[in-house]
Amino acid sequence: MKNYIAALDQGTTSSRAILFDENGKPEQIAQFPIEQIYPQLGWVEHKPNEILNSEILALAGAIERSNISPTEIAGIGITNQRETTILWDRETGKPIYNAIVWQCRRTAELCDELKDRGLDPYIKKKTGLLIDAYFSGTKIKWILDHVDGARKRAEKGEILFGNVDSWLIWNLTGGKVHVSDYSNCSRTMLFNIDKFQWDEDICKELDIPICMLPTPVPNSMVYGAIAPRIPGLEAMEGIPICGSAGDQPSALLGQGCIHKGEAKNTYGTGCFTLMNTADQSIRSKNGLLTSIAWSLDEKVTYALEGSVFNAGSSIQWLRDGLGLIESAHECDILAESVQDNGGVYLVSAFTGLGAPQWDMYARGTLVGITRGTTKAHIARATLEGIAYQVKDLLSAMESDMGDKLQILRVDGGASVSNIMMQFQSDILRKPIDRPKVVETTAFGAAFLAGLAVGLWKDVSQIESIRKSDRIFYPEMDSRKAELYCRQWHRAVERSQHWIEE
């Protein structure tokens, strides 16, 4: 019986593979880190072949460590860091440049030029996005502009573009399938989210040949199969690749947020807050983004989204940049050793601010320091700063939806922090629901693949699979929470427009 699904979870800092059984239980996990490359201030890159090879190693490793035979695997689902941009040679499969990561700000000036040309309203109307260096479109243009002969070759159909989902599917199928699922397409700043096709006018404005773009496809269907003679995956030849979604909509599904108004937040390298808006592609009035969450059975589900660019990465900064802690857990221990933040606020705008401010020129700010400030106060301010930004996103979503959120479902590495989850509940004034199985991103992709091959029958089954581990309720006095939030917004103001344009 083919009762297992393999999920490839390709993230910003690592590649993972997880084997799920038919009850949604993760049976085995393998993970490999990937190198972070910083060529200049504000620039972030990955090696495309390292992304691919680390995922192959993870998949092979997960199977090797388990008692599961490849013949028991019904299909493969893929979830990935979105917006990260890869261009490669159609014939050789060799990348023509490093992957430009979603965090990279090198195209900020180009984005300003597009805004000056008055393109913001059109792009928001068609794509649901704002003009920002975050998205793939300007990254594609940058590579075409800076790699010798790239644009001419792209116009001839010799160069292909893909986000990480496309890159993995193309390579795992032996170069036979060049597709991208709707959720990933909707993060390129080139995709019409109401017509489900590439927007020719935007592509012309950015001088991007449409022939290099992947074919847009729904999120649950058989795209192709593992090709023969892939080193390390020989035993998996022929297994269908049949589910794909960007990491955040995949987590929305994996959290069981299948009804309108349900929301989740993932505390990863960044924070990503999504709210299900069902079949309505609502254009935000509060700086949020509109994206496609998934397409199933010819029905498209949309989501409102906001991003905190630096969440878990701000804890990493305490460890690797300042040397204040040796592990993420030590940040919790330090934070719990003091009663409050001592008046200290950290705005982790290391690569600018996302929604609702959208300030590419903001930078990290630490305010309220006195001689009495200790590293424990800074650790607490780091955790609280993440929670404040999530609250700002959800307040904007409630305004756009015209309705109040009932409960926030949470996942991601930093969601294990009890002190941060409690503080999140305190300032949000809502229950925070943490699941027993926190691998919601990977499970969302696995569920999409399982639907395609009949392991699961319909999307409603995910509600019975998801179980809560702990629910946090507000404990802080509401007036105290309001005071903290006012002080937070003062700190945000001081971080904005720091870099002179």
Side-chain angles (χ1 to χ4, degrees), residues 461-489:
Q461 283 185 265
I462 208 164
E463 292 181 293
S464 61
I465 293 173
R466 184 196 182 277
K467 305 294 183 185
S468 295
D469 166 57
R470 178 175 173 181
I471 299 179
F472 298 81
Y473 294 93
E475 295 178 353
M476 182 185 295
D477 178 79
S478 61
R479 288 171 296 181
K480 188 176 181 180
E482 289 173 6
L483 174 61
Y484 280 160
C485 291
R486 283 200 302 273
Q487 291 291 89
W488 162 255
H489 289 127

mmCIF file of all heavy atoms in Angstrom, residues 461-489:
data_model
loop_
_atom_site.group_PDB
_atom_site.id
_atom_site.type_symbol
_atom_site.label_atom_id
_atom_site.label_comp_id
_atom_site.label_asym_id
_atom_site.label_seq_id
_atom_site.Cartn_x
_atom_site.Cartn_y
_atom_site.Cartn_z
ATOM 1 N N GLN A 461 -10.697 17.188 5.413
ATOM 2 C CA GLN A 461 -10.061 16.168 6.250
ATOM 3 C C GLN A 461 -8.924 16.749 7.094
ATOM 4 O O GLN A 461 -8.575 16.215 8.141
ATOM 5 C CB GLN A 461 -9.524 15.023 5.385
ATOM 6 C CG GLN A 461 -10.592 14.066 4.894
ATOM 7 C CD GLN A 461 -9.990 12.896 4.143
ATOM 8 O OE1 GLN A 461 -9.899 12.907 2.922
ATOM 9 N NE2 GLN A 461 -9.554 11.889 4.875
ATOM 10 N N ILE A 462 -8.358 17.857 6.629
ATOM 11 C CA ILE A 462 -7.210 18.424 7.341
ATOM 12 C C ILE A 462 -7.617 18.948 8.711
ATOM 13 O O ILE A 462 -6.809 18.996 9.641
ATOM 14 C CB ILE A 462 -6.553 19.531 6.482
ATOM 15 C CG1 ILE A 462 -5.063 19.633 6.834
ATOM 16 C CG2 ILE A 462 -7.244 20.878 6.629
ATOM 17 C CD1 ILE A 462 -4.243 20.382 5.812
ATOM 18 N N GLU A 463 -8.894 19.304 8.887
ATOM 19 C CA GLU A 463 -9.369 19.814 10.176
ATOM 20 C C GLU A 463 -9.300 18.746 11.264
ATOM 21 O O GLU A 463 -9.000 19.039 12.418
ATOM 22 C CB GLU A 463 -10.791 20.337 10.047
ATOM 23 C CG GLU A 463 -10.918 21.593 9.203
ATOM 24 C CD GLU A 463 -12.347 22.095 9.117
ATOM 25 O OE1 GLU A 463 -13.186 21.401 8.511
ATOM 26 O OE2 GLU A 463 -12.622 23.176 9.673
ATOM 27 N N SER A 464 -9.575 17.513 10.902
ATOM 28 C CA SER A 464 -9.544 16.436 11.891
ATOM 29 C C SER A 464 -8.122 15.943 12.147
ATOM 30 O O SER A 464 -7.836 15.365 13.208
ATOM 31 C CB SER A 464 -10.412 15.261 11.421
ATOM 32 O OG SER A 464 -9.934 14.741 10.194
ATOM 33 N N ILE A 465 -7.226 16.192 11.203
ATOM 34 C CA ILE A 465 -5.833 15.761 11.363
ATOM 35 C C ILE A 465 -5.083 16.689 12.311
ATOM 36 O O ILE A 465 -4.292 16.246 13.141
ATOM 37 C CB ILE A 465 -5.133 15.699 9.996
ATOM 38 C CG1 ILE A 465 -5.738 14.568 9.145
ATOM 39 C CG2 ILE A 465 -3.627 15.509 10.149
ATOM 40 C CD1 ILE A 465 -5.229 14.523 7.722
ATOM 41 N N ARG A 466 -5.338 18.002 12.217
ATOM 42 C CA ARG A 466 -4.614 18.972 13.043
ATOM 43 C C ARG A 466 -5.085 18.901 14.499
ATOM 44 O O ARG A 466 -6.271 18.923 14.781
ATOM 45 C CB ARG A 466 -4.832 20.397 12.517
ATOM 46 C CG ARG A 466 -4.027 21.437 13.279
ATOM 47 C CD ARG A 466 -4.519 22.843 13.020
ATOM 48 N NE ARG A 466 -3.702 23.837 13.713
ATOM 49 C CZ ARG A 466 -3.872 24.180 14.995
ATOM 50 N NH1 ARG A 466 -4.835 23.621 15.707
ATOM 51 N NH2 ARG A 466 -3.078 25.087 15.555
ATOM 52 N N LYS A 467 -4.117 18.839 15.431
ATOM 53 C CA LYS A 467 -4.430 18.812 16.868
ATOM 54 C C LYS A 467 -3.661 19.936 17.566
ATOM 55 O O LYS A 467 -2.531 20.250 17.201
ATOM 56 C CB LYS A 467 -4.023 17.469 17.484
ATOM 57 C CG LYS A 467 -4.614 16.247 16.792
ATOM 58 C CD LYS A 467 -6.116 16.165 16.939
ATOM 59 C CE LYS A 467 -6.652 14.878 16.291
ATOM 60 N NZ LYS A 467 -8.136 14.827 16.313
ATOM 61 N N SER A 468 -4.289 20.531 18.583
ATOM 62 C CA SER A 468 -3.642 21.598 19.347
ATOM 63 C C SER A 468 -2.724 21.015 20.419
ATOM 64 O O SER A 468 -3.053 20.006 21.053
ATOM 65 C CB SER A 468 -4.679 22.501 20.006
ATOM 66 O OG SER A 468 -5.442 23.188 19.048
ATOM 67 N N ASP A 469 -1.599 21.681 20.625
ATOM 68 C CA ASP A 469 -0.680 21.336 21.713
ATOM 69 C C ASP A 469 -0.975 22.181 22.937
ATOM 70 O O ASP A 469 -1.104 21.681 24.051
ATOM 71 C CB ASP A 469 0.764 21.557 21.261
ATOM 72 C CG ASP A 469 1.746 21.541 22.420
ATOM 73 O OD1 ASP A 469 1.779 20.529 23.138
ATOM 74 O OD2 ASP A 469 2.475 22.539 22.606
ATOM 75 N N ARG A 470 -1.093 23.514 22.711
ATOM 76 C CA ARG A 470 -1.358 24.433 23.814
ATOM 77 C C ARG A 470 -2.017 25.690 23.272
ATOM 78 O O ARG A 470 -1.667 26.146 22.175
ATOM 79 C CB ARG A 470 -0.059 24.792 24.539
ATOM 80 C CG ARG A 470 -0.251 25.790 25.687
ATOM 81 C CD ARG A 470 1.036 26.027 26.453
ATOM 82 N NE ARG A 470 0.877 27.109 27.433
ATOM 83 C CZ ARG A 470 1.845 27.548 28.223
ATOM 84 N NH1 ARG A 470 3.039 26.986 28.179
ATOM 85 N NH2 ARG A 470 1.621 28.538 29.065
ATOM 86 N N ILE A 471 -2.954 26.227 24.035
ATOM 87 C CA ILE A 471 -3.582 27.492 23.676
ATOM 88 C C ILE A 471 -3.235 28.518 24.754
ATOM 89 O O ILE A 471 -3.459 28.279 25.948
ATOM 90 C CB ILE A 471 -5.113 27.352 23.526
ATOM 91 C CG1 ILE A 471 -5.437 26.346 22.410
ATOM 92 C CG2 ILE A 471 -5.747 28.706 23.220
ATOM 93 C CD1 ILE A 471 -6.910 26.101 22.195
ATOM 94 N N PHE A 472 -2.660 29.634 24.330
ATOM 95 C CA PHE A 472 -2.284 30.715 25.237
ATOM 96 C C PHE A 472 -3.409 31.760 25.246
ATOM 97 O O PHE A 472 -3.912 32.138 24.178
ATOM 98 C CB PHE A 472 -0.989 31.388 24.781
ATOM 99 C CG PHE A 472 0.206 30.475 24.762
ATOM 100 C CD1 PHE A 472 0.422 29.610 23.693
ATOM 101 C CD2 PHE A 472 1.114 30.482 25.807
ATOM 102 C CE1 PHE A 472 1.523 28.766 23.666
ATOM 103 C CE2 PHE A 472 2.227 29.647 25.797
ATOM 104 C CZ PHE A 472 2.423 28.782 24.722
ATOM 105 N N TYR A 473 -3.759 32.237 26.449
ATOM 106 C CA TYR A 473 -4.805 33.243 26.590
ATOM 107 C C TYR A 473 -4.207 34.517 27.193
ATOM 108 O O TYR A 473 -3.229 34.458 27.946
ATOM 109 C CB TYR A 473 -5.931 32.723 27.479
ATOM 110 C CG TYR A 473 -6.683 31.556 26.888
ATOM 111 C CD1 TYR A 473 -6.321 30.242 27.188
ATOM 112 C CD2 TYR A 473 -7.753 31.766 26.018
ATOM 113 C CE1 TYR A 473 -7.007 29.162 26.642
ATOM 114 C CE2 TYR A 473 -8.451 30.700 25.463
ATOM 115 C CZ TYR A 473 -8.070 29.404 25.773
ATOM 116 O OH TYR A 473 -8.749 28.346 25.219
ATOM 117 N N PRO A 474 -4.798 35.684 26.897
ATOM 118 C CA PRO A 474 -4.259 36.939 27.445
ATOM 119 C C PRO A 474 -4.254 36.944 28.971
ATOM 120 O O PRO A 474 -5.248 36.568 29.603
ATOM 121 C CB PRO A 474 -5.222 38.003 26.893
ATOM 122 C CG PRO A 474 -5.860 37.379 25.696
ATOM 123 C CD PRO A 474 -5.944 35.914 25.991
ATOM 124 N N GLU A 475 -3.130 37.370 29.559
ATOM 125 C CA GLU A 475 -3.004 37.467 31.007
ATOM 126 C C GLU A 475 -2.667 38.887 31.457
ATOM 127 O O GLU A 475 -3.008 39.285 32.566
ATOM 128 C CB GLU A 475 -1.923 36.501 31.512
ATOM 129 C CG GLU A 475 -2.254 35.033 31.291
ATOM 130 C CD GLU A 475 -1.142 34.105 31.747
ATOM 131 O OE1 GLU A 475 -0.050 34.618 32.122
ATOM 132 O OE2 GLU A 475 -1.339 32.867 31.710
ATOM 133 N N MET A 476 -2.025 39.656 30.607
ATOM 134 C CA MET A 476 -1.605 41.016 30.939
ATOM 135 C C MET A 476 -2.808 41.955 30.989
ATOM 136 O O MET A 476 -3.763 41.809 30.208
ATOM 137 C CB MET A 476 -0.596 41.516 29.894
ATOM 138 C CG MET A 476 -0.032 42.905 30.144
ATOM 139 S SD MET A 476 1.035 43.451 28.781
ATOM 140 C CE MET A 476 2.380 42.278 28.899
ATOM 141 N N ASP A 477 -2.753 42.933 31.894
ATOM 142 C CA ASP A 477 -3.775 43.966 31.953
ATOM 143 C C ASP A 477 -3.853 44.693 30.611
ATOM 144 O O ASP A 477 -2.823 45.045 30.033
ATOM 145 C CB ASP A 477 -3.440 44.958 33.068
ATOM 146 C CG ASP A 477 -4.441 46.084 33.157
ATOM 147 O OD1 ASP A 477 -5.520 45.882 33.713
ATOM 148 O OD2 ASP A 477 -4.114 47.186 32.651
ATOM 149 N N SER A 478 -5.047 44.951 30.125
ATOM 150 C CA SER A 478 -5.217 45.527 28.792
ATOM 151 C C SER A 478 -4.611 46.926 28.692
ATOM 152 O O SER A 478 -4.067 47.311 27.653
ATOM 153 C CB SER A 478 -6.693 45.562 28.400
ATOM 154 O OG SER A 478 -7.432 46.361 29.305
ATOM 155 N N ARG A 479 -4.697 47.721 29.771
ATOM 156 C CA ARG A 479 -4.132 49.078 29.728
ATOM 157 C C ARG A 479 -2.611 49.040 29.633
ATOM 158 O O ARG A 479 -2.003 49.856 28.931
ATOM 159 C CB ARG A 479 -4.568 49.868 30.969
ATOM 160 C CG ARG A 479 -6.046 50.264 30.964
ATOM 161 C CD ARG A 479 -6.470 50.844 32.293
ATOM 162 N NE ARG A 479 -6.370 49.853 33.365
ATOM 163 C CZ ARG A 479 -6.696 50.086 34.618
ATOM 164 N NH1 ARG A 479 -7.128 51.284 34.986
ATOM 165 N NH2 ARG A 479 -6.577 49.141 35.542
ATOM 166 N N LYS A 480 -2.003 48.074 30.294
ATOM 167 C CA LYS A 480 -0.557 47.907 30.212
ATOM 168 C C LYS A 480 -0.150 47.487 28.801
ATOM 169 O O LYS A 480 0.843 47.987 28.248
ATOM 170 C CB LYS A 480 -0.104 46.853 31.228
ATOM 171 C CG LYS A 480 1.401 46.725 31.366
ATOM 172 C CD LYS A 480 1.734 45.732 32.479
ATOM 173 C CE LYS A 480 3.233 45.599 32.666
ATOM 174 N NZ LYS A 480 3.568 44.622 33.756
ATOM 175 N N ALA A 481 -0.932 46.605 28.209
ATOM 176 C CA ALA A 481 -0.653 46.166 26.840
ATOM 177 C C ALA A 481 -0.749 47.336 25.865
ATOM 178 O O ALA A 481 0.079 47.467 24.945
ATOM 179 C CB ALA A 481 -1.623 45.055 26.437
ATOM 180 N N GLU A 482 -1.737 48.181 26.036
ATOM 181 C CA GLU A 482 -1.889 49.349 25.163
ATOM 182 C C GLU A 482 -0.703 50.306 25.298
ATOM 183 O O GLU A 482 -0.232 50.865 24.301
ATOM 184 C CB GLU A 482 -3.195 50.074 25.493
ATOM 185 C CG GLU A 482 -4.443 49.322 25.070
ATOM 186 C CD GLU A 482 -5.719 49.985 25.570
ATOM 187 O OE1 GLU A 482 -5.620 51.103 26.147
ATOM 188 O OE2 GLU A 482 -6.798 49.399 25.393
ATOM 189 N N LEU A 483 -0.208 50.497 26.511
ATOM 190 C CA LEU A 483 0.953 51.364 26.730
ATOM 191 C C LEU A 483 2.178 50.804 26.019
ATOM 192 O O LEU A 483 2.913 51.543 25.350
ATOM 193 C CB LEU A 483 1.228 51.502 28.225
ATOM 194 C CG LEU A 483 2.508 52.283 28.596
ATOM 195 C CD1 LEU A 483 2.424 53.720 28.082
ATOM 196 C CD2 LEU A 483 2.721 52.248 30.104
ATOM 197 N N TYR A 484 2.398 49.514 26.162
ATOM 198 C CA TYR A 484 3.526 48.885 25.469
ATOM 199 C C TYR A 484 3.442 49.102 23.962
ATOM 200 O O TYR A 484 4.449 49.402 23.304
ATOM 201 C CB TYR A 484 3.543 47.376 25.759
ATOM 202 C CG TYR A 484 4.143 46.980 27.086
ATOM 203 C CD1 TYR A 484 3.855 45.742 27.655
ATOM 204 C CD2 TYR A 484 5.003 47.829 27.770
ATOM 205 C CE1 TYR A 484 4.405 45.362 28.874
ATOM 206 C CE2 TYR A 484 5.562 47.460 28.983
ATOM 207 C CZ TYR A 484 5.258 46.223 29.530
ATOM 208 O OH TYR A 484 5.808 45.864 30.732
ATOM 209 N N CYS A 485 2.244 48.943 23.418
ATOM 210 C CA CYS A 485 2.073 49.085 21.966
ATOM 211 C C CYS A 485 2.315 50.526 21.507
ATOM 212 O O CYS A 485 2.873 50.763 20.433
ATOM 213 C CB CYS A 485 0.684 48.613 21.548
ATOM 214 S SG CYS A 485 0.452 46.824 21.703
ATOM 215 N N ARG A 486 1.899 51.511 22.319
ATOM 216 C CA ARG A 486 2.168 52.911 21.964
ATOM 217 C C ARG A 486 3.670 53.180 21.930
ATOM 218 O O ARG A 486 4.175 53.849 21.027
ATOM 219 C CB ARG A 486 1.485 53.846 22.972
ATOM 220 C CG ARG A 486 -0.010 53.991 22.776
ATOM 221 C CD ARG A 486 -0.547 55.252 23.450
ATOM 222 N NE ARG A 486 -0.265 55.293 24.888
ATOM 223 C CZ ARG A 486 -1.050 54.757 25.820
ATOM 224 N NH1 ARG A 486 -2.172 54.129 25.455
ATOM 225 N NH2 ARG A 486 -0.740 54.853 27.105
ATOM 226 N N GLN A 487 4.378 52.667 22.911
ATOM 227 C CA GLN A 487 5.824 52.845 22.939
ATOM 228 C C GLN A 487 6.481 52.160 21.739
ATOM 229 O O GLN A 487 7.445 52.663 21.152
ATOM 230 C CB GLN A 487 6.404 52.281 24.240
ATOM 231 C CG GLN A 487 6.030 53.083 25.470
ATOM 232 C CD GLN A 487 6.722 54.452 25.470
ATOM 233 O OE1 GLN A 487 6.192 55.425 24.934
ATOM 234 N NE2 GLN A 487 7.910 54.519 26.053
ATOM 235 N N TRP A 488 5.960 51.008 21.382
ATOM 236 C CA TRP A 488 6.474 50.282 20.213
ATOM 237 C C TRP A 488 6.361 51.130 18.952
ATOM 238 O O TRP A 488 7.307 51.244 18.172
ATOM 239 C CB TRP A 488 5.723 48.959 20.035
ATOM 240 C CG TRP A 488 5.875 48.385 18.650
ATOM 241 C CD1 TRP A 488 4.943 48.375 17.657
ATOM 242 C CD2 TRP A 488 7.048 47.766 18.100
ATOM 243 N NE1 TRP A 488 5.437 47.791 16.524
ATOM 244 C CE2 TRP A 488 6.725 47.408 16.768
ATOM 245 C CE3 TRP A 488 8.308 47.490 18.595
ATOM 246 C CZ2 TRP A 488 7.647 46.775 15.925
ATOM 247 C CZ3 TRP A 488 9.234 46.860 17.769
ATOM 248 C CH2 TRP A 488 8.899 46.509 16.449
ATOM 249 N N HIS A 489 5.223 51.750 18.753
ATOM 250 C CA HIS A 489 5.027 52.544 17.541
ATOM 251 C C HIS A 489 5.935 53.773 17.516
ATOM 252 O O HIS A 489 6.352 54.225 16.448
ATOM 253 C CB HIS A 489 3.553 52.930 17.395
ATOM 254 C CG HIS A 489 2.668 51.772 17.039
ATOM 255 N ND1 HIS A 489 1.545 51.445 17.754
ATOM 256 C CD2 HIS A 489 2.776 50.829 16.061
ATOM 257 C CE1 HIS A 489 0.984 50.365 17.217
ATOM 258 N NE2 HIS A 489 1.716 49.978 16.202
#
